[in-house]
């Protein structure tokens, strides 16, 4: 087994670990361990909300999640010899739930998918599903099943939702300035347009006192992906993948977590993956001066692994950039087009007995394929959603006999 450079006791909060992690991006959060190019190492990770979600039949915990503490990240891990302008090369060797443990923490044999309430971050379809809901998934090797969504089982593409390098002070200032400018365009919007620095809930690794307060005042929230990597939520970033991260500070300062047992393209419910704690093994290397050499300055690049379920039959749903609720055409709006594809899939699955919330949770957590199919045919962008038909234990394809309606139970809702 590779050397464990960041260890986690899943029964404890990240704040109470022997060496705590952090939940803000900031260049002054110190490395908790160092590795060399060529090393293989393991990082253990907490579930992203720090165990605020329970294995139960109520979504009140999803409704009431305190997002000021998210995401709980393991690290930072320094890489010897890494300098600004380099590319950090990471190979994912292995990852998964907490090994050989059963318990109350997500990742100890189970995980969850949540629809976040519109008043607390929301999701892709929050205007249609504004209230919190939840599904608990049990792990059976590579397969997930849920008592909240019967009739469905699938092989997950296990992956980390969030890893990245630390920003420089200059890059951090740019993030905060541009995101504050975005918020200012509609400061009372629900959900918020972006999340500015928030001192409440800040965890800054081993920093305390005035140093931690400064990180809270300046540190970037971890919700979106940015130039350093971050919360990409790419389902095919799994075993065998190689990623090239821009290095912005000495040592690179790698951090991450937010492990997922499975996810569909887009993670559309906001907490759309099957969330869990667990472990991830890496091999690390450097390309000196690689940012300039390859023109990789505003984003990482990655090579997906070859590990994925062998689903070969799909039912595809199309969306175009038309708001059908108001019959309004939008010009080449791919976001709206994918939203309509998702809504079309939800409406279809409701014909088989699933609630809208259950269908929404399926699309967030199952290995669906989302594609931008056309962005040139004015005025309508076209997006498509490929739903694997083999994840259902009944036939969902159209036929003259009509849909096989059944009692599909219920997901966890709020009281």
């Amino acid at each position: 087994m590779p050397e464990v450079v960041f260890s986690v006791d899943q029964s404890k909060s990240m704040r109470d670990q022997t060496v705590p992690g952090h939940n803000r991006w900031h260049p002054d959060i110190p490395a908790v361990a160092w590795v060399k190019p060529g090393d293989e190492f393991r990082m253990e990770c907490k579930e992203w909300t720090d165990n605020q979600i329970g294995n139960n039949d109520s979504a009140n915990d999803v409704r009431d999640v305190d997002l000021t503490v998210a995401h709980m990240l393991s690290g930072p891990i320094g890489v010897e010899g890494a300098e600004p302008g380099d590319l950090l090369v990471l190979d994912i060797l292995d990852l998964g739930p907490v090994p050989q443990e059963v318990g109350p923490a997500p990742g100890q044999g189970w995980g969850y998918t949540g629809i976040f309430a519109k008043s607390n971050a929301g999701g892709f379809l929050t205007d249609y599903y504004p209230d919190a809901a939840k599904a608990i998934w049990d792990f059976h090797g590579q397969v997930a099943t849920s008592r909240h969504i019967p009739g469905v089982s699938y092989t997950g593409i296990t992956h980390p939702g969030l890893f990245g390098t630390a920003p420089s002070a200059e890059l951090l200032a740019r993030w905060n300035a541009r995101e504050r400018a975005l918020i200012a365009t509609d400061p009372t919007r629900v959900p918020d347009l972006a999340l500015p620095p928030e001192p409440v809930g800040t965890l800054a690794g081993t920093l305390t006192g005035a140093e931690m307060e400064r990180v809270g005042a300046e540190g970037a929230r971890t919700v979106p992906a940015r130039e350093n990597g971050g919360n990409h939520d790419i389902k095919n970033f799994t075993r065998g993948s190689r990623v090239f991260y821009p290095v912005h500070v000495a040592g690179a300062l790698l951090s991450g977590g937010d492990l997922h047992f499975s996810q569909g393209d887009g993670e559309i419910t906001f907490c759309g993956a099957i969330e869990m704690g667990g472990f991830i093994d890496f091999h690390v290397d450097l390309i000196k001066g690689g940012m300039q050499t390859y023109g990789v300055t505003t984003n990482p690049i990655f090579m997906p692994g070859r590990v994925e379920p062998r689903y070969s039959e799909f039912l595809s749903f199309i969306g175009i950039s038309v708001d059908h609720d108001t019959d309004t055409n939008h010009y080449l709006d791919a976001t709206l087009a994918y939203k309509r594809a998702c809504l079309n899939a939800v409406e279809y699955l409701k014909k088989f007995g699933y609630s809208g919330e259950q269908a929404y949770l399926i699309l967030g957590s199952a290995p669906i394929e989302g594609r931008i199919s056309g962005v040139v045919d004015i005025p309508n962008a076209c997006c498509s959603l490929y739903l694997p038909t083999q994840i259902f234990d009944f036939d969902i394809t159209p036929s003259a006999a009509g849909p096989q309606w059944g009692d599909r139970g219920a997901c966890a809702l709020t009281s």
Side-chain angles (χ1 to χ4, degrees), residues 70-397:
H71 298 74
M72 284 297 185
L73 305 184
S74 299
I77 306 301
V79 180
E80 294 184 12
E83 301 172 302
D86 295 344
L87 285 178
L88 182 69
V89 185
L90 282 181
D91 293 300
I92 298 181
L93 306 179
D94 198 8
L95 78 161
V98 183
Q100 290 81 48
E101 286 192 24
V102 175
Q108 293 180 311
W110 65 280
Y112 71 91
T113 303
I115 297 173
F116 267 49
K118 184 174 183 178
S119 59
N120 193 24
F124 194 49
L125 307 181
T126 196
D127 290 334
Y128 299 87
Y129 297 97
D131 298 321
K134 180 176 74 177
I136 299 297
W137 300 89
D138 294 310
F139 303 154
H140 315 277
Q142 293 179 299
V143 175
T145 61
S146 175
R147 64 182 183 269
H148 294 127
I149 309 179
V152 173
S153 65
Y154 44 79
T155 302
I157 311 177
T158 311
H159 61 281
L162 194 167
F163 264 87
T165 53
S168 65
E170 184 272 337
L171 182 57
L172 175 62
R174 284 168 48 203
W175 291 352
N176 287 335
R178 73 190 187 199
E179 289 172 25
R180 284 192 175 104
L182 175 61
I183 293 168
T185 64
D186 191 356
T188 61
R189 183 181 185 270
V190 178
D192 299 314
L193 285 170
L195 298 176
E198 172 55 74
V200 174
T202 296
L203 179 62
T206 57
L207 296 181
T208 59
E211 290 180 311
M212 188 180 76
E213 290 177 4
R214 184 168 61 84
V215 169
E218 301 172 353
R221 304 289 293 278
T222 58
V223 171
R226 299 185 181 91
E227 289 89 337
N228 68 324
N231 197 23
H232 282 125
D233 294 315
I234 300 171
K235 77 175 193 300
N236 295 96
F237 184 36
T238 184
R239 295 176 185 84
S241 294
R242 171 173 289 182
V243 62
F244 304 83
Y245 285 117
V247 175
H248 300 285
V249 299
L253 300 184
L254 174 74
S255 300
D258 187 29
L259 302 186
H260 298 162
F261 188 86
S262 179
Q263 183 203 292
D265 282 338
E267 198 187 12
I268 60 174
T269 73
F270 181 74
C271 190
I274 300 179
E275 306 286 349
M276 66 179 191
F279 75 96
I280 184 165
D281 296 341
F282 289 116
H283 175 274
V284 64
D285 212 334
L286 287 173
I287 298 177
K288 301 298 294 180
M291 288 176 65
Q292 181 175 355
T293 300
Y294 289 101
V296 180
T297 57
T298 61
N299 64 289
I301 55 178
F302 93 106
M303 302 164 61
R306 300 188 183 97
V307 178
E308 62 182 358
R310 293 183 177 178
Y311 293 120
S312 59
E313 297 177 3
F314 299 85
L315 192 60
S316 298
F317 299 87
I318 302 301
I320 58 175
S321 52
V322 173
D323 183 342
H324 291 287
D325 299 320
T326 61
D327 205 29
T328 303
N329 225 125
H330 294 256
Y331 179 78
L332 297 183
D333 187 334
T335 301
L336 176 58
Y338 193 55
K339 182 176 292 185
R340 297 309 312 185
C342 293
L343 288 167
N344 290 340
V346 167
E347 289 304 311
Y348 185 88
L349 290 175
K350 286 166 65 176
K351 298 298 184 181
F352 294 81
Y354 289 115
S355 69
E357 289 83 2
Q358 286 176 307
Y360 191 10
L361 289 163
I362 290 170
L363 299 182
S365 58
I368 66 168
E369 301 284 339
R371 302 179 186 178
I372 297 177
S373 301
V375 287
V376 296
D377 299 318
I378 61 171
N380 287 338
C382 176
C383 287
S384 48
L385 183 157
Y386 290 64
L387 177 64
T389 58
Q390 294 149 296
I391 70 174
F392 298 91
D393 65 9
F394 55 93
D395 186 4
I396 67 162
T397 58

